Amino acid sequence: MNVIGTVGLPGSGKGEAANVAEAAGIPVVVMGDVIRAECRRRGLDPAEHHGRMAGTLREEEGDDAIAARTLPRIREAAAESDRGDTVLVDGLRSTVELDRFREAFGDDFTLVAIRAPFELRAERLGERGRDDSDSDLEALRERDDREIELGLGETLERADVEIDNTDSLAAFRERVREVLGVEREAGDPAETPNAGGDGA
């Protein structure tokens, strides 16, 4: 099994990398889905309780709880895929999660860091406009600081591969395809000049 994890600050392009994988027929497992599923199981609104639930799971089941709950989803996605055994895992945030995946998959796990400067990420998030905080620069800086403090900064530093997402969207998608080991196909998203995609 070839498992490729992505790590990056908000707006760096993780969501667009996932889009490229899906267009190539590679299954994508989103770590945040574990948290959303647990919110729903407990009768809570994921939009309101996502961050709190992530903390609760780590308190109840250990710092690697979300990674541990993601492992069976990864194996299931690989088993059901028609495209070989490559799976993209979207959204690592800590070295504890990284260590859990490396323990589970060994050399078959590759961590890809997606990087873009703050100003460019802020612009993409503002265009995406998923919520009001996306256009609040101070809130974005605080969010960055919080993510880094929780371990995302160190996780970025421990990546096996880096993708610099400051060029065109077409160039970014091509670099992602190189890392995934896939060719561009007719079903891939249309190439447009915005380098950030959905900026996740």
Side-chain angles (χ1 to χ4, degrees):
M1 186 186 305
N2 181 28
V3 182
I4 298 171
T6 58
V7 59
L9 286 161
S12 58
K14 297 187 305 296
E16 187 57 41
N19 291 343
V20 172
E22 287 180 335
I26 292 173
V28 174
V29 175
V30 180
M31 294 184 70
D33 286 349
V34 165
I35 302 164
R36 284 182 276 274
E38 186 62 18
C39 283
R40 288 189 288 270
R41 192 183 76 79
R42 299 189 190 200
L44 302 171
D45 181 355
E48 288 183 31
H49 296 275
H50 191 278
R52 197 171 310 141
M53 181 56 65
T56 298
L57 284 173
R58 292 185 181 107
E59 286 172 13
E60 293 176 353
E61 302 175 16
D63 289 341
D64 64 349
I66 296 161
R69 285 183 172 222
T70 302
L71 286 173
R73 292 174 176 241
I74 295 170
R75 294 188 174 107
E76 184 179 326
E80 293 177 354
S81 174
D82 297 327
R83 191 64 187 262
D85 57 0
T86 297
V87 177
L88 181 77
V89 183
D90 180 353
L92 277 83
R93 279 185 160 72
S94 72
T95 56
V96 174
E97 294 170 347
L98 172 59
D99 290 341
R100 184 61 188 262
F101 288 138
R102 286 195 166 147
E103 178 186 330
F105 302 112
D107 292 341
D108 293 332
F109 183 80
T110 302
L111 182 64
V112 178
I114 302 176
R115 295 182 181 270
F118 176 82
E119 292 76 12
L120 187 53
R121 292 188 292 106
E123 181 183 328
R124 291 170 184 164
L125 288 167
E127 289 171 0
R128 182 174 72 182
R130 196 175 284 173
D131 57 54
D132 291 341
S133 67
D134 282 347
S135 57
D136 182 338
L137 293 184
E138 192 56 41
L140 285 176
R141 289 190 193 281
E142 290 176 5
R143 188 174 165 194
D144 276 7
D145 291 344
R146 191 166 60 246
E147 295 267 20
I148 289 167
E149 188 177 324
L150 289 170
L152 194 144
E154 189 180 346
T155 308
L156 278 164
E157 293 303 319
R158 288 178 58 186
D160 303 295
V161 177
E162 289 201 6
I163 298 179
D164 176 68
N165 188 11
T166 54
D167 201 345
S168 68
L169 180 55
F172 175 68
R173 286 175 172 162
E174 188 55 39
R175 180 74 180 104
V176 171
R177 282 190 285 267
E178 285 175 16
V179 171
L180 294 174
V182 297
E183 300 288 330
R184 181 165 183 250
E185 296 181 0
D188 281 2
E191 306 293 8
T192 61
N194 175 5
D198 74 353

